[in-house]
Amino acid sequence: MNGQLTIVGLGPGPSEWITPAADATVSTADVVLGYESYLARLTPRRGQVFEASDNREELARAKRALEIASSGKRVVVVSGGDPGVFAMAAAVFEAVDNAPDLANDIDIRVEPGVTAMLAAAARIGAPLGHDFCAISLSDNLKPWATIEKRLRLAAEADFVIALYNPASKARPDQIQEAFRILSTIRAPETIVAFARAVGRADESIEITTLADAAKATCDMRTVVLVGSPSTRAVQGSHGRTWVYTPRFVRVA
Ligand code: SAH
């Protein structure tokens, strides 16, 4: 019997943001692999094996998933958000790239999920209403010089910029450096939104400006959206601020 390996996105947190397809795939799996905090969001069905691993061992987990699938099992690897956005799907294909024989006879699929920036954008209004890009600030897998270059060029190209992995205990200050670089190109009044733990009980959204961004709370559970020059704030009911980026660019 051929094995199956599906890399599944669980969305940013709440179960109602897990797609029915992702849910169905997880519930029919023999083995579910993933970082323990993602596995904790699921209830194992009878006979199902849950295998937790460290978040930093992505390639090893991908290889292990392929090995289990090649024995004919139905294997699921879970990711938060979307599995293709700074997550496990690329690690699985990298493992296949490294050892193509491993994937022989395995039916590989990717099941999409709601990525953090989309969930955050929905809370904030429509900040991604026009051209945008996503940059991970983690320099575990790429040099900081590359990140600096991408920040600079994305700012120059007027993209709204979603910053994933903005800060961690090991990297508390790089986000400040990122704001410094962006401030050399973008105006101080540029809107910056911090969306923390979106969809969780302790969710918080803070809308500020580039000039004041350094004062905001930012950690591994935060995605930061830096507005483009045309991103605007409007007042909704009860004093609520909505942020949107118009769908047009005014030609001067
Ligand atoms: N595959 C995931 C991203 C993994 S990188 C996705 O598609 O969302 C991890 C980063 O995602 C975190 O550092 C944070 O920037 C962001 N993130 C994940 N879940 C989040 C949430 N519930 N609220 C805010 N940001 C989140």
Short mmCIF file of all heavy atoms in Angstrom, two decimals, residues 55-59 85-88 90-91 94 136-147 150 165 171 174:
data_model
loop_
_atom_site.label_atom_id
_atom_site.label_comp_id
_atom_site.label_asym_id
_atom_site.label_seq_id
_atom_site.Cartn_x
_atom_site.Cartn_y
_atom_site.Cartn_z
N ASN A 55 10.81 22.53 17.75
CA ASN A 55 10.54 23.41 16.61
C ASN A 55 11.75 23.65 15.73
O ASN A 55 11.62 24.01 14.56
CB ASN A 55 10.01 24.76 17.13
CG ASN A 55 8.95 25.33 16.21
OD1 ASN A 55 8.47 24.63 15.32
ND2 ASN A 55 8.60 26.58 16.42
N ARG A 56 12.95 23.46 16.30
CA ARG A 56 14.15 23.76 15.50
C ARG A 56 14.59 22.58 14.64
O ARG A 56 15.52 22.71 13.86
CB ARG A 56 15.29 24.18 16.44
CG ARG A 56 15.08 25.57 17.00
CD ARG A 56 15.89 25.78 18.24
NE ARG A 56 15.47 24.86 19.28
CZ ARG A 56 15.89 24.87 20.53
NH1 ARG A 56 16.77 25.75 20.91
NH2 ARG A 56 15.45 24.00 21.41
N GLU A 57 13.90 21.43 14.80
CA GLU A 57 14.35 20.24 14.06
C GLU A 57 13.48 19.97 12.84
O GLU A 57 13.07 18.85 12.59
CB GLU A 57 14.29 19.03 14.98
CG GLU A 57 15.22 19.13 16.16
CD GLU A 57 14.85 18.14 17.27
OE1 GLU A 57 13.91 17.35 17.07
OE2 GLU A 57 15.50 18.19 18.31
N GLU A 58 13.20 21.02 12.08
CA GLU A 58 12.22 20.86 10.99
C GLU A 58 12.63 19.86 9.93
O GLU A 58 11.82 19.05 9.49
CB GLU A 58 11.94 22.22 10.36
CG GLU A 58 11.20 23.14 11.31
CD GLU A 58 10.66 24.39 10.65
OE1 GLU A 58 11.16 24.74 9.56
OE2 GLU A 58 9.76 24.99 11.24
N LEU A 59 13.90 19.90 9.52
CA LEU A 59 14.33 19.00 8.45
C LEU A 59 14.32 17.55 8.93
O LEU A 59 13.90 16.65 8.20
CB LEU A 59 15.72 19.42 7.94
CG LEU A 59 16.10 18.88 6.57
CD1 LEU A 59 15.05 19.23 5.51
CD2 LEU A 59 17.46 19.43 6.15
N VAL A 85 3.97 28.86 4.57
CA VAL A 85 4.49 30.18 4.92
C VAL A 85 5.45 30.05 6.10
O VAL A 85 5.00 29.80 7.22
CB VAL A 85 3.34 31.16 5.25
CG1 VAL A 85 3.89 32.53 5.65
CG2 VAL A 85 2.41 31.30 4.05
N PHE A 86 6.74 30.14 5.84
CA PHE A 86 7.78 30.01 6.87
C PHE A 86 7.51 28.77 7.73
O PHE A 86 7.52 28.83 8.97
CB PHE A 86 7.84 31.27 7.76
CG PHE A 86 7.99 32.55 6.99
CD1 PHE A 86 7.08 33.59 7.14
CD2 PHE A 86 9.04 32.73 6.10
CE1 PHE A 86 7.22 34.78 6.43
CE2 PHE A 86 9.19 33.91 5.39
CZ PHE A 86 8.28 34.94 5.54
N ALA A 87 7.27 27.63 7.08
CA ALA A 87 6.81 26.47 7.86
C ALA A 87 7.21 25.15 7.21
O ALA A 87 8.08 25.10 6.34
CB ALA A 87 5.31 26.58 8.07
N MET A 88 6.52 24.07 7.60
CA MET A 88 6.97 22.71 7.33
C MET A 88 6.91 22.24 5.88
O MET A 88 7.63 21.32 5.51
CB MET A 88 6.17 21.73 8.20
CG MET A 88 6.64 21.62 9.63
SD MET A 88 8.39 21.19 9.77
CE MET A 88 8.42 19.55 9.07
N ALA A 90 7.88 23.52 3.07
CA ALA A 90 9.16 23.69 2.37
C ALA A 90 10.20 22.72 2.93
O ALA A 90 11.03 22.19 2.17
CB ALA A 90 9.65 25.13 2.48
N ALA A 91 10.14 22.45 4.25
CA ALA A 91 11.10 21.50 4.84
C ALA A 91 10.88 20.10 4.26
O ALA A 91 11.84 19.37 4.00
CB ALA A 91 10.95 21.49 6.36
N GLU A 94 12.27 20.03 0.82
CA GLU A 94 13.73 20.07 0.90
C GLU A 94 14.26 18.66 1.22
O GLU A 94 15.26 18.22 0.64
CB GLU A 94 14.13 21.06 2.00
CG GLU A 94 15.61 21.41 2.01
CD GLU A 94 15.96 22.30 3.20
OE1 GLU A 94 15.11 23.10 3.64
OE2 GLU A 94 17.10 22.17 3.70
N SER A 136 10.36 37.32 6.98
CA SER A 136 10.64 36.78 8.31
C SER A 136 11.90 37.46 8.83
O SER A 136 12.91 37.54 8.12
CB SER A 136 10.86 35.27 8.24
OG SER A 136 11.41 34.83 9.47
N LEU A 137 11.83 37.92 10.08
CA LEU A 137 13.02 38.59 10.65
C LEU A 137 13.97 37.59 11.30
O LEU A 137 15.00 37.98 11.84
CB LEU A 137 12.61 39.63 11.70
CG LEU A 137 12.11 40.98 11.21
CD1 LEU A 137 12.19 41.99 12.34
CD2 LEU A 137 12.90 41.50 10.02
N SER A 138 13.63 36.31 11.24
CA SER A 138 14.52 35.32 11.85
C SER A 138 15.77 35.15 11.01
O SER A 138 15.68 34.88 9.80
CB SER A 138 13.80 33.98 11.98
OG SER A 138 14.74 33.00 12.34
N ASP A 139 16.93 35.31 11.64
CA ASP A 139 18.16 35.10 10.87
C ASP A 139 18.78 33.73 11.18
O ASP A 139 19.95 33.52 10.98
CB ASP A 139 19.16 36.25 11.08
CG ASP A 139 19.57 36.41 12.54
OD1 ASP A 139 19.01 35.69 13.39
OD2 ASP A 139 20.45 37.24 12.81
N ASN A 140 17.94 32.79 11.66
CA ASN A 140 18.43 31.42 11.84
C ASN A 140 18.78 30.79 10.50
O ASN A 140 19.72 30.01 10.40
CB ASN A 140 17.35 30.52 12.48
CG ASN A 140 17.09 30.90 13.91
OD1 ASN A 140 17.91 31.58 14.52
ND2 ASN A 140 15.95 30.48 14.44
N LEU A 141 17.99 31.11 9.47
CA LEU A 141 18.13 30.42 8.20
C LEU A 141 18.59 31.32 7.06
O LEU A 141 18.65 30.90 5.91
CB LEU A 141 16.79 29.75 7.81
CG LEU A 141 16.24 28.73 8.82
CD1 LEU A 141 14.81 28.36 8.49
CD2 LEU A 141 17.10 27.47 8.83
N LYS A 142 18.88 32.59 7.37
CA LYS A 142 19.41 33.49 6.33
C LYS A 142 20.21 34.59 7.01
O LYS A 142 19.97 34.92 8.18
CB LYS A 142 18.28 34.09 5.48
CG LYS A 142 17.33 34.98 6.26
CD LYS A 142 16.16 35.48 5.42
CE LYS A 142 15.08 36.00 6.35
NZ LYS A 142 13.82 36.30 5.69
N PRO A 143 21.20 35.15 6.29
CA PRO A 143 22.02 36.19 6.92
C PRO A 143 21.23 37.47 7.18
O PRO A 143 20.32 37.81 6.41
CB PRO A 143 23.13 36.45 5.89
CG PRO A 143 22.87 35.58 4.73
CD PRO A 143 21.60 34.84 4.92
N TRP A 144 21.59 38.18 8.23
CA TRP A 144 20.90 39.43 8.57
C TRP A 144 21.03 40.44 7.42
O TRP A 144 20.11 41.20 7.15
CB TRP A 144 21.43 40.00 9.89
CG TRP A 144 20.79 41.30 10.25
CD1 TRP A 144 21.36 42.54 10.21
CD2 TRP A 144 19.42 41.52 10.64
NE1 TRP A 144 20.44 43.51 10.57
CE2 TRP A 144 19.24 42.91 10.84
CE3 TRP A 144 18.32 40.67 10.86
CZ2 TRP A 144 18.03 43.48 11.22
CZ3 TRP A 144 17.11 41.24 11.24
CH2 TRP A 144 16.96 42.62 11.42
N ALA A 145 22.17 40.40 6.71
CA ALA A 145 22.36 41.34 5.60
C ALA A 145 21.27 41.17 4.53
O ALA A 145 20.83 42.15 3.91
CB ALA A 145 23.75 41.15 4.98
N THR A 146 20.82 39.94 4.34
CA THR A 146 19.74 39.68 3.37
C THR A 146 18.44 40.32 3.84
O THR A 146 17.68 40.91 3.07
CB THR A 146 19.54 38.15 3.21
OG1 THR A 146 20.78 37.59 2.79
CG2 THR A 146 18.46 37.81 2.21
N ILE A 147 18.19 40.19 5.15
CA ILE A 147 16.97 40.77 5.72
C ILE A 147 16.99 42.29 5.56
O ILE A 147 16.01 42.90 5.13
CB ILE A 147 16.85 40.37 7.22
CG1 ILE A 147 16.77 38.85 7.33
CG2 ILE A 147 15.64 41.05 7.87
CD1 ILE A 147 16.80 38.31 8.75
N ARG A 150 16.22 43.26 2.00
CA ARG A 150 14.80 43.07 1.64
C ARG A 150 13.93 44.15 2.28
O ARG A 150 12.98 44.64 1.67
CB ARG A 150 14.34 41.67 2.05
CG ARG A 150 15.00 40.67 1.12
CD ARG A 150 14.62 39.24 1.34
NE ARG A 150 15.43 38.46 0.40
CZ ARG A 150 15.55 37.16 0.39
NH1 ARG A 150 14.88 36.43 1.24
NH2 ARG A 150 16.30 36.55 -0.50
N ASN A 165 8.04 36.42 12.70
CA ASN A 165 9.16 36.17 13.61
C ASN A 165 9.88 37.47 13.98
O ASN A 165 11.09 37.58 13.86
CB ASN A 165 10.18 35.20 12.96
CG ASN A 165 9.58 33.84 12.67
OD1 ASN A 165 9.04 33.20 13.55
ND2 ASN A 165 9.67 33.41 11.43
N ARG A 171 16.54 37.07 20.14
CA ARG A 171 16.70 38.19 19.20
C ARG A 171 15.75 39.32 19.59
O ARG A 171 14.83 39.65 18.85
CB ARG A 171 16.36 37.76 17.77
CG ARG A 171 17.13 36.62 17.20
CD ARG A 171 16.69 36.31 15.77
NE ARG A 171 15.36 35.73 15.70
CZ ARG A 171 14.28 36.38 15.29
NH1 ARG A 171 14.34 37.63 14.92
NH2 ARG A 171 13.11 35.78 15.27
N GLN A 174 16.32 42.95 17.06
CA GLN A 174 16.38 43.09 15.60
C GLN A 174 15.18 43.85 15.06
O GLN A 174 15.29 44.55 14.06
CB GLN A 174 16.50 41.72 14.94
CG GLN A 174 17.91 41.20 15.09
CD GLN A 174 18.05 39.78 14.62
OE1 GLN A 174 17.05 39.08 14.47
NE2 GLN A 174 19.27 39.34 14.41
#
